[in-house]
């Protein structure tokens, strides 16, 4: 099964809500982030993606590494996603949907089943947001 490497942000606000996003043409919500460009570190990838997708400017020192996680890919059949994940604090007023994103939601722990979620979010990343 081919791997898709990404960087992902587990963004939580002061109230404990976790940010999930949905890309145009997809149905599942996931953590913001994306694929690296040549020569980028995982943190550099995430900083660029957060700026492109959410107009969120982040300094690398604000990113807290969470580790590497592997799950079935949400949008590419027969692929796995290998994610380098980072924790970050932000508020709803800090983010704006742009680029390939169609929608964002802030989820409370009890909301996990209110929207269709990517396997990586369900299995690994959202539990980290609410630990």
């Amino acid at each position: 099964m081919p791997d898709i490497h990404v960087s992902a942000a587990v963004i939580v606000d002061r109230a404990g809500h976790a940010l999930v996003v949905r890309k145009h043409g997809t149905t599942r919500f996931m953590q913001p982030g994306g694929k690296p460009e040549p020569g980028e570190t995982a943190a550099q990838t995430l900083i660029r993606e957060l700026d492109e997708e959410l107009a969120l400017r982040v300094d690398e020192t604000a990113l807290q590494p969470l580790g590497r996680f592997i799950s079935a890919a949400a949008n590419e059949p027969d692929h796995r996603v290998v994610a380098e994940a980072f924790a970050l604090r932000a508020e709803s007023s800090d983010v704006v949907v742009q680029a390939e994103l169609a929608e964002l939601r802030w989820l409370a722990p009890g909301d996990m089943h209110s929207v269709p979620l990517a396997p990586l979010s369900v299995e690994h990343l959202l539990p980290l947001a609410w630990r």
Side-chain angles (χ1 to χ4, degrees):
M1 187 177 300
D3 289 340
I4 300 167
H5 291 268
V6 300
S7 293
V10 178
I11 300 176
V12 179
D13 68 8
R14 271 180 275 172
H17 297 101
L19 178 67
V20 292
V21 298
R22 184 180 62 77
K23 295 182 181 191
H24 288 287
T26 67
T27 58
R28 293 182 182 263
F29 285 81
M30 60 189 62
Q31 272 58 46
K35 298 171 187 163
E37 291 183 355
E40 282 184 330
T41 66
Q44 289 168 338
T45 298
L46 188 57
I47 290 166
R48 177 183 50 76
E49 289 284 347
L50 292 175
D51 184 30
E52 290 173 4
E53 295 180 351
L54 296 168
L56 183 61
R57 302 237 177 211
V58 176
D59 187 86
E60 191 167 340
T61 59
L63 298 176
Q64 179 182 20
L66 295 171
R68 175 179 284 182
F69 303 93
I70 301 171
S71 289
N75 299 316
E76 291 91 352
D78 302 319
H79 285 70
R80 295 186 323 167
V81 64
V82 179
E84 296 290 339
F86 298 85
L88 178 66
R89 289 267 180 212
E91 298 302 318
S92 60
S93 59
D94 297 337
V95 297
V96 177
V97 170
Q98 55 186 30
E100 69 263 19
L101 295 185
E103 183 178 4
L104 66 80
R105 301 253 180 110
W106 290 90
L107 302 181
D111 297 336
M112 197 156 153
H113 301 290
S114 67
V115 296
L117 293 165
L120 181 69
S121 296
V122 173
E123 296 166 5
H124 301 290
L125 301 184
L126 284 174
L128 289 172
W130 299 316
R131 62 178 176 181

